Amino acid sequence: MKVNIIASLLSSVAVVTGFSSHTLPIGLNRNTTPISRMATADADEAGDDHITILGFGSLLSEKSSRTTFPTLKNFRLGRVLDHRRTFAHPASIFFQRNIANLETLEISSLSVEYKEGCSMVCSVFEVPNEGLSAADAPGDTFIPSQKFLEREEEFEITRVRYEELATSSTSGKQEIKEGVICRRSTDEAYIARWGQERFQKNYLDYVIKTIWGWTEGIRPCPVYLRHCILAAWSCDSEEKWSKDGVGGICYNSFLDETVMVDRATSIREYIDQYPEVMNTEPPDNLKERYSG
């Protein structure tokens, strides 16, 4: 039986926006399976047949990452450079899974976009290059395969710069590397790749006239936002979790370095205004996928 987190914690706002010595965000079951510690192995040990993935939303949790990439290696944290994390586009899958609310425009998913000087904490891990990169990609150029594009249909899948998060075993300036991330695209690019018929089926039929043209109004899908917040908290185990450890660093980055479509309101500020988001649990058939 699920533990009643709300009864054992402070108010919703206090839990999300502040820390006691060790508090869980509302909605995170204290019986959640612990996640393994950050890997210390260097990424280069994974070999040339692996691709480095950068996760910025649900993939901030190793548990959640393994639902998509079950054979991932070396899960750890890094910082994406010259990009910001935004809730600024609707995801067709939220309508297909009946977790979007068109009336309130709580339909948004998460992306990153180029913004010089901005950065945010991300997860970093390696996965086998089993159909993720196009076979005809020249040299070390990364060109996503059709399979990878299908899975992340609305995004530009590209390489961006990141640095490993410093740990107790590292010191000094971190080496800047490159990893693969899902970045903001355009409606024109979507239609050019997939065609008008697919745009009609996945968006227009849900009365969504644009994917990437939103400048106001759109809000995060609450089930998905809760999922991402829990994932950010869960990047370290409960036993080792601390404000200054990897769990706190990841969690605070998500709250403070993620913005709404206005590019000004942080997720911490949004949750202050709408704390009920953390009580919006997914339908039973999606609880495993959308619980951090």
Side-chain angles (χ1 to χ4, degrees), residues 79-93:
R79 179 168 286 275
V80 176
L81 305 176
D82 293 322
H83 283 76
R84 66 182 169 194
R85 185 166 38 204
T86 63
F87 277 96
H89 80 282
S92 178
I93 194 68

Side-chain angles (χ1 to χ4, degrees), residues 206-221:
Y206 294 108
V207 201
I208 300 298
K209 296 181 180 180
T210 179
I211 306 171
W212 298 106
W214 296 81
T215 59
E216 61 181 2
I218 194 171
R219 298 165 55 191
C221 168

Side-chain angles (χ1 to χ4, degrees), residues 155-224:
F155 297 101
E156 175 195 14
I157 302 175
T158 188
R159 276 179 173 168
V160 299
R161 299 186 312 140
Y162 79 96
E163 58 186 14
E164 304 272 338
L165 215 61
T167 66
S168 58
S169 62
T170 62
S171 61
K173 188 174 179 59
Q174 298 297 301
E175 178 186 356
I176 294 177
K177 304 177 182 181
E178 286 191 339
V180 173
I181 205 166
C182 293
R183 188 163 66 181
R184 177 184 178 88
S185 185
T186 65
D187 290 359
E188 292 76 16
Y190 182 95
I191 293 170
R193 175 175 291 151
W194 306 115
Q196 184 65 37
E197 183 177 347
R198 185 158 173 171
F199 183 66
Q200 176 75 42
K201 176 183 177 182
N202 286 354
Y203 291 94
L204 295 180
D205 285 355
Y206 294 108
V207 201
I208 300 298
K209 296 181 180 180
T210 179
I211 306 171
W212 298 106
W214 296 81
T215 59
E216 61 181 2
I218 194 171
R219 298 165 55 191
C221 168
V223 167
Y224 180 70

